[in-house]
Amino acid sequence: MRRRLLLLAPLGAAALAGAGFLAMLRRMRTGRFDPRGVPTMLLGKPVPIFALPGFALPGFASAGFASVDLAGADLAGGRPILLNFFASWCAPCVAENPRLMALHEAGIPLWGIAYKDRPDATAAFLGRHGNPFTRIGRDDAGLTAIDFGVTGVPETFLIDASGVVRWHLSGPLTQEAADEAASMLRQYA
Amino acid sequence: MTRRAVVAALALLLALATPAWAIGDPAERLPDPALEARAAELGGQLRCLVCQNESIEDSGADLARDLRHIVRAHIAAGETDSQIIAWMTARYGDFVRLRPPFNPTTALLWASPFVALLIGGGAAYASRRRAVAPPPPLDAAEQSRLRELLNP
């Protein structure tokens, strides 16, 4: 009896560890667990205080969007906004652009922050792929991105009407993520 | 060239070698060596969010360079190490710390060496208890038979 117990104990421990490992793998596959994921500290918190120079795109002024400087306080403007950190040199930003354009065409307010980019390169990028943003700030030094806890472009934040961060995505916007963002936006409208 | 000359040349090279600076660009360093040493020590405890298994002192990533610069700016402004770590964790969470703090989520991690020691100690104790007693010494007849076999 004792011998059998001694034999079964390691087997049981191995089975338990295996089950835990499988559960971890499953959670990694469904995206509920990401060992490399950087936590979003801003969730449920107001956006950091920042003030960025605006970015003027040719044609912006005529469409009613002058080169307006972008400040943290502007994000608490009484309506939810999707804020996207992007750069012309970022390949995943090209990949997610059609989904951002679709959100823009659906009337969702999208603001952009150009991360460590040259204005002419930003203009060329938006001219080539389409501009989904109604307002753009220029984070040339990349310090506002650090205040947002951004680790790399693209990253997208959903900011509610009072300027509190409600949702965040690191990496390119997939179709599922875009749908999720749109439904969250309606929820906070 | 004789072997002795090779050894001497190698020894000379080693003696002349300067310590490997983590930061390639001297312009990044603080002018005060004591403050720079503090910054390097602190930066060594902060994870580069891009490469993830390197500290910001070791990493060549752009973001790591920005964070090194921020660490040095805060140190030059007279902030304490814990203030700077708080600044970093406010943005990137405990994930940014290469040495995680002790809290409910990391309790198992920190306890794992002691748990392993307990399991190993328990196994050693159990196997000792189960060890068979040494056989009794040989009696006179066996002794003489042994001598016979050894000295034919």
Side-chain angles (χ1 to χ4, degrees):
Chain A
M1 183 59 216
R2 230 187 100 124
R3 268 181 88 86
R4 179 174 288 177
L5 206 73
L6 272 171
L7 204 72
L8 281 178
L11 272 178
L16 212 70
F21 188 67
L22 266 180
M24 188 188 79
L25 284 182
R26 183 157 304 140
R27 284 168 63 90
M28 275 172 76
R29 203 167 42 232
T30 55
R32 273 179 301 158
F33 171 66
D34 179 7
R36 286 174 288 274
V38 179
T40 306
M41 301 310 283
L42 275 185
L43 279 185
K45 295 203 185 90
V47 290
I49 297 164
F50 69 91
L52 293 176
F55 170 79
L57 192 69
F60 254 42
S62 62
F65 308 120
S67 164
V68 194
D69 292 351
L70 198 60
D74 299 347
L75 286 160
R79 58 178 189 157
I81 286 163
L82 275 185
L83 181 70
N84 179 257
F85 284 82
F86 73 102
S88 68
W89 44 262
C90 141
C93 299
V94 177
E96 71 169 5
N97 183 269
R99 283 180 278 278
L100 289 177
M101 290 303 287
L103 288 174
H104 172 65
E105 275 146 27
I108 283 168
L110 257 168
W111 291 8
I113 292 185
Y115 175 74
K116 293 195 174 187
D117 211 0
R118 288 198 328 267
D120 58 324
T122 309
F125 173 81
L126 296 174
R128 191 166 344 117
H129 302 288
N131 171 30
F133 306 115
T134 46
R135 273 179 83 170
I136 297 175
R138 273 173 45 203
D139 188 13
D140 295 351
L143 295 179
T144 298
I146 289 176
D147 282 342
F148 272 84
V150 166
T151 59
V153 278
E155 289 199 20
T156 310
F157 293 84
L158 191 155
I159 294 146
D160 75 6
S162 56
V164 173
V165 175
R166 294 298 178 186
W167 180 87
H168 167 247
L169 176 78
S170 181
L173 201 69
T174 57
Q175 191 53 56
E176 300 87 77
D179 294 343
E180 195 187 339
S183 82
M184 292 276 291
L185 215 97
R186 277 191 290 277
Q187 193 186 316
Y188 283 103
Chain B
M1 204 194 285
T2 63
R3 203 170 139 164
R4 187 180 264 170
V6 174
V7 170
L10 271 177
L12 188 70
L13 268 178
L14 279 175
L16 290 177
T18 49
W21 295 104
I23 304 174
D25 184 2
E28 273 190 40
R29 292 184 216 131
L30 288 171
D32 181 337
L35 289 186
E36 172 57 33
R38 234 188 87 201
E41 166 78 27
L42 189 57
Q45 297 168 28
L46 296 171
R47 185 190 303 277
C48 164
L49 286 314
V50 181
C51 7
Q52 302 212 341
N53 272 343
E54 274 184 311
S55 77
I56 59 168
E57 288 298 309
D58 297 328
S59 169
D62 239 26
L63 182 66
R65 197 193 54 215
D66 292 348
L67 294 178
R68 279 199 296 270
H69 185 80
I70 287 168
V71 165
R72 279 158 181 82
H74 283 237
I75 280 183
E79 282 189 23
T80 64
D81 288 6
S82 56
Q83 274 175 312
I84 296 167
I85 287 177
W87 192 96
M88 291 288 171
T89 51
R91 282 152 185 81
Y92 295 111
D94 284 336
F95 189 81
V96 77
R97 301 176 65 175
L98 283 170
R99 191 184 170 80
F102 187 84
N103 61 34
T105 44
T106 60
L108 191 64
L109 176 72
W110 280 109
S112 56
F114 305 104
V115 171
L117 195 70
L118 263 172
I119 292 174
Y125 178 72
S127 72
R128 248 182 87 99
R129 262 182 40 155
R130 255 188 302 139
V132 272
L138 304 180
D139 61 23
E142 285 165 336
Q143 289 275 10
S144 65
R145 173 83 181 116
L146 182 63
R147 262 196 300 278
E148 226 173 87
L149 284 169
L150 286 175
N151 313 301

